[in-house]
């Protein structure tokens, strides 16, 4: 009995908080008193080589991050679980910073965050731009094409660079996509003694010798011959490459309307073809995610190429459905919406998709054959929802005149899972 009572009194020690301190290019000199005190009180301070160098005289012990960082992050901090740990972050730790990574790994309740001004705040202050009206795109861990959906004539954008090569890469990408006349301002070492500003036009500038610590401010100018590609679904068919297996522009817009993407939602696209539905789902908002399933290897490669060149390289491509459903990561395993296009092969596919979508999620399926029409009629009788049928006509030349050329009529079933 005594041993049992002793066991109930034993408690697992609560890990000590992780203090996260934002630090700018001005290092220790630019830190407020509360941030300085947090560093001085810490048993160990983690940070990059540059960050540690600026605070080392005020630290008991320091550790610099290994490369790659993420596979080692948990084990490094767990080794100091009983110590008071301080982690240094560039600027605002919760703005594309290590604070977000630590929150996901350890939970928000364990963090004590001391933010500094972000590089975007400093850039807008230098340029006189309204921070709330200026989108920021991080290229630190993503391909340069991630910037493409944010390009629009007259728009201002701040780009977070991964290093000294980013401004030149952005200039080349702008020029090759019809935005070569855009103005670029590269702001180096913001807030530090070595702060410098370099300006140029995208088509005329290479931005060599830029400091690795930089952000790029864009004032976008679209050339007269550049394609206009907004975030609203219904991009021109010519925006895509491939074998022509795609949901055409007008039907695509109607289909995305039925799918009704909202920020942060996940789509499963069955029978991806050229990837049009999944790509335009993701373009509606930067936080939208998509997984597409396609049985053809050539088309899977085609989808990945289209996704990259239309600015959504995060699109995940799997083999045929429903066999590949089990290979989807846990984070993407419960879709908010499912679209069945070229993958509508039988009632078992509809059943698998209906089971996969979350409660309250949407399933939309398109058909152009009598056989698949019958599947949709059966699905509507079984699951409810709405049936629609539409046909698109496009005006085309007929000699000296214009005639209406019909596309195949499309039957569409859409339903919300109760």
């Amino acid at each position: 009995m005594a041993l049992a009572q002793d066991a109930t009194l034993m408690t697992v020690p609560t890990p000590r908080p992780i203090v996260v301190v934002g630090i700018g290019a001005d290092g220790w000199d630019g830190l407020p008193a509360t941030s300085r005190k947090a560093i001085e009180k810490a048993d160990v301070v983690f940070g990059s080589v540059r960050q540690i160098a600026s605070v080392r005289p005020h630290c008991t012990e320091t550790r610099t991050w290994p490369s790659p960082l993420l596979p080692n992050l948990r084990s490094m901090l767990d080794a100091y679980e009983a110590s008071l740990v301080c982690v240094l972050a560039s600027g605002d730790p919760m703005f594309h910073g290590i604070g977000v990574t630590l929150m996901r790994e350890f939970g928000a309740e364990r963090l004590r965050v001391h933010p500094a001004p972000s590089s975007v705040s400093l850039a807008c202050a230098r340029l006189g731009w309204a921070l709330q009206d200026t989108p920021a795109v991080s290229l630190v861990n993503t391909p340069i094409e991630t910037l493409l959906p944010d390009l629009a004539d007259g728009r201002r954008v701040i780009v977070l660079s991964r290093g000294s090569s980013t401004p030149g890469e952005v200039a080349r990408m702008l020029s090759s996509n019809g935005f070569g006349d855009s103005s670029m301002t590269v702001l180096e070492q913001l807030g530090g003694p070595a702060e410098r500003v370099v300006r140029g036009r995208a088509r005329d500038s290479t931005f060599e010798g830029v400091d690795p610590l930089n952000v790029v401010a864009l004032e976008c100018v679209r050339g007269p011959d550049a394609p206009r590609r907004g975030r609203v679904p219904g991009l021109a068919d010519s925006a895509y490459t491939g074998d022509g297996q795609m949901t055409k522009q007008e039907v695509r817009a109607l289909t995305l309307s039925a799918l009704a993407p909202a920020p942060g939602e996940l789509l499963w696209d069955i029978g991806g073809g050229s990837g049009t539905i999944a790509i335009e789902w993701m373009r509606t908002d930067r936080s939208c995610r998509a997984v597409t399933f396609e049985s053809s290897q050539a088309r899977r490669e085609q989808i990945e190429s289209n996704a990259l060149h239309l600015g959504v390289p995060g699109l995940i491509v799997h083999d045929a459905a429903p066999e590949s459903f089990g290979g989807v990561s846990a984070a993407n395993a419960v879709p908010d919406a499912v679209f069945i296009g070229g993958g509508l092969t039988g009632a078992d596919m509809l059943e698998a998709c209906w089971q996969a979508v979350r409660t309250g999620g949407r399933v939309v399926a398109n058909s152009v054959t009598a056989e698949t029409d019958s599947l949709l009629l059966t699905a509507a009788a079984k699951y409810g929802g709405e049936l629609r049928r539409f046909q698109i006509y496009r005006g085309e030349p007929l000699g000296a005149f214009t005639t209406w050329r019909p596309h195949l009529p499309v039957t569409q079933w859409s339903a919300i899972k109760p």
Side-chain angles (χ1 to χ4, degrees):
M1 177 66 73
L3 289 175
Q5 289 176 341
D6 290 343
T8 60
L9 295 175
M10 295 175 64
T11 57
V12 178
T14 303
R16 302 188 70 177
I18 299 171
V19 180
V20 189
V21 173
I23 188 168
D26 48 359
W28 179 263
D29 292 339
L31 290 173
T34 52
S35 295
R36 291 185 179 186
K37 184 178 293 186
I39 293 171
E40 291 172 331
K41 289 175 60 178
D43 297 316
V44 58
V45 177
F46 288 85
S48 68
V49 173
R50 177 184 59 82
Q51 292 165 345
I52 291 296
S54 69
V55 303
R56 192 184 300 277
H58 310 275
C59 302
T60 302
E61 181 184 349
T62 61
R63 295 287 304 275
T64 55
W65 298 121
S67 181
L69 168 60
L70 289 182
N72 301 287
L73 179 64
R74 180 93 202 192
S75 60
M76 288 186 70
L77 294 186
D78 280 349
Y80 289 89
E81 190 174 58
S83 303
L84 184 56
V85 171
C86 176
V87 173
L88 301 179
S90 294
D92 188 337
M94 304 308 293
F95 184 75
H96 295 284
I98 195 170
V100 178
T101 304
L102 292 170
M103 181 273 296
R104 291 172 181 159
E105 187 68 31
F106 297 97
E109 66 281 353
R110 194 171 166 195
L111 303 187
R112 305 292 183 270
V113 180
H114 299 261
S118 70
S119 56
V120 174
S121 293
L122 292 172
C124 287
R126 300 293 186 272
L127 298 167
W129 293 3
L131 180 62
Q132 73 274 9
D133 297 329
T134 306
V137 178
S138 175
L139 300 181
V140 175
N141 295 307
T142 58
I144 202 79
E145 289 82 4
T146 306
L147 178 60
L148 286 168
D150 282 279
L151 301 181
D153 192 48
R155 197 178 198 200
R156 291 171 168 175
V157 182
I158 299 290
V159 177
L160 307 183
S161 295
R162 74 172 62 91
S164 57
S165 65
T166 302
E169 293 172 2
V170 170
R172 290 188 291 274
M173 188 272 291
L174 290 172
S175 299
S176 62
N177 284 275
F179 283 83
D181 287 328
S182 299
S183 298
M184 297 180 59
T185 303
V186 181
L187 301 104
E188 306 173 0
Q189 292 279 343
L190 276 168
E195 182 175 316
R196 186 174 76 127
V197 176
V198 180
R199 292 183 170 87
R201 190 171 65 162
R203 70 170 71 257
D204 301 326
S205 306
T206 58
F207 296 103
E208 296 178 357
V210 170
D211 189 274
L213 189 63
N214 73 83
V215 298
V216 183
L218 305 179
E219 295 180 90
C220 300
V221 178
R222 184 173 66 89
D225 299 324
R228 189 173 183 276
R229 293 173 179 164
R231 288 189 177 272
V232 175
L235 295 180
D237 294 342
S238 58
Y240 298 91
T241 60
D243 58 6
Q245 186 70 25
M246 70 170 70
T247 303
K248 297 299 190 288
Q249 179 181 12
E250 299 87 352
V251 175
R252 195 184 320 133
L254 291 167
T255 300
L256 266 298
S257 175
L259 287 166
E265 287 194 325
L266 169 66
L267 170 74
W268 278 12
D269 178 15
I270 313 300
S274 299
T276 58
I277 295 294
I279 288 169
E280 296 194 26
W281 168 282
M282 292 181 70
R283 283 178 61 93
T284 61
D285 188 86
R286 204 178 298 160
S287 64
C288 284
R289 299 166 292 135
V291 178
T292 188
F293 299 85
E294 171 56 57
S295 59
S296 165
Q297 174 64 29
R299 287 177 181 164
R300 290 197 296 271
E301 294 173 358
Q302 166 182 298
I303 291 169
E304 290 174 344
S305 175
N306 282 330
L308 179 66
H309 291 103
L310 288 170
V312 288
L315 174 60
I316 298 169
V317 184
H318 280 277
D319 207 334
E323 299 87 345
S324 296
F325 284 0
V328 178
S329 68
N332 295 316
V334 184
D336 299 284
V338 177
F339 171 64
I340 313 170
L344 184 55
T345 54
D348 58 337
M349 178 69 78
L350 281 165
E351 175 65 22
C353 293
W354 187 258
Q355 293 302 320
V357 74
R358 69 167 175 83
T359 300
R362 293 88 66 200
V363 176
V364 175
N366 287 355
S367 164
V368 294
T369 69
E371 290 78 8
T372 49
D373 278 0
S374 68
L375 292 175
L376 297 189
L377 289 169
T378 301
K382 182 176 182 180
Y383 303 115
E386 297 180 348
L387 286 165
R388 301 181 182 90
R389 189 169 174 84
F390 37 80
Q391 185 168 22
I392 303 300
Y393 290 78
R394 290 183 180 177
E396 295 183 6
L398 181 65
F401 301 93
T402 300
T403 191
W404 296 105
R405 298 288 186 191
H407 288 210
L408 289 173
V410 176
T411 301
Q412 183 180 90
W413 169 67
S414 61
I416 297 175
K417 183 176 178 180

